[in-house]
Amino acid sequence: LGFLRGVQFDIIEQETKRVLDAVLDELDAGGANLRANLEAKATKMASEESKRLMARADKTSAAVAGAITANRATVLEEMATLKDLKQKYDQLKEEKAAQRKSGLFGVAAFIAGLAYVSTGVNDLLRVATGASDQDAAVQGVAELALGAVGIYVYQSRIDARDGNVEK
């Protein structure tokens, strides 16, 4: 009986070992399948997350590019406005300088005109009082004419500056 028990015990032990080895092999295979499934899921999730992040980055970069384009357009518009304003300012500066030059010439013409008128009236008064001969009368009339031209030049420049000249 002891022998049978030993044989039975060996058979049970071998059978237990075989079942345990089969279970361990199945666990190893199941673990490998589980690992493969988990790796596949992790790869898929990483790929999906990468695609989502890339799409988000594309949207963000498109928004930034749109903002840059809008800002660039605004800057270009402002530069054009500034250039236009500078041209207008330069034109006004030139007009003011021309008016100053014109004004100085007009004042000089007015002073010369007054001097000629004064001399012409003086000459004509001397002829009228008999202090000078008739030749002074011709000279006085010529001086009055030159004086009138000088005053006319001054007045025409004032009218042109003030915009009173009809075209």
Side-chain angles (χ1 to χ4, degrees):
L1 216 49
F3 173 72
L4 276 173
R5 280 198 177 238
V7 171
Q8 282 178 339
F9 186 70
D10 284 340
I11 291 174
I12 292 174
E13 187 179 348
Q14 286 175 0
E15 190 61 27
T16 304
K17 188 175 181 182
R18 187 187 61 76
V19 168
L20 188 60
D21 285 342
V23 167
L24 287 176
D25 287 343
E26 210 171 297
L27 280 176
D28 284 342
N33 283 340
L34 182 60
R35 183 179 312 116
N37 286 341
L38 287 176
E39 285 176 359
K41 274 187 179 181
T43 302
K44 182 180 176 183
M45 287 175 65
S47 175
E48 288 173 358
E49 184 65 16
S50 176
K51 287 178 184 177
R52 189 184 68 77
L53 288 174
M54 290 301 286
R56 187 173 168 194
D58 288 345
K59 285 180 184 176
T60 302
S61 64
V64 167
I68 287 172
T69 301
N71 287 341
R72 174 180 251 166
T74 301
V75 167
L76 290 175
E77 285 175 18
E78 289 177 0
M79 283 177 57
T81 301
L82 287 173
K83 285 180 182 178
D84 185 47
L85 288 174
K86 184 181 181 324
Q87 286 176 341
K88 288 179 181 177
Y89 173 73
D90 290 344
Q91 184 181 5
L92 284 174
K93 233 167 69 173
E94 288 174 9
E95 288 174 5
K96 286 289 183 185
Q99 284 178 357
R100 271 188 250 125
K101 289 177 185 176
S102 176
L104 290 175
F105 179 75
V107 169
F110 181 71
I111 291 171
L114 284 179
Y116 276 117
V117 167
S118 170
T119 306
V121 168
N122 198 14
D123 286 345
L124 289 177
L125 285 174
R126 275 192 276 164
V127 170
T129 58
S132 289
D133 56 1
Q134 291 297 331
D135 291 338
V138 173
Q139 185 178 344
V141 170
E143 289 170 346
L144 280 175
L146 287 174
V149 168
I151 292 171
Y152 172 77
V153 167
Y154 170 74
Q155 190 60 45
S156 67
R157 289 186 177 271
I158 293 294
D159 288 344
R161 183 186 70 200
D162 295 339
N164 297 333
V165 176
E166 293 181 20
K167 294 182 180 180

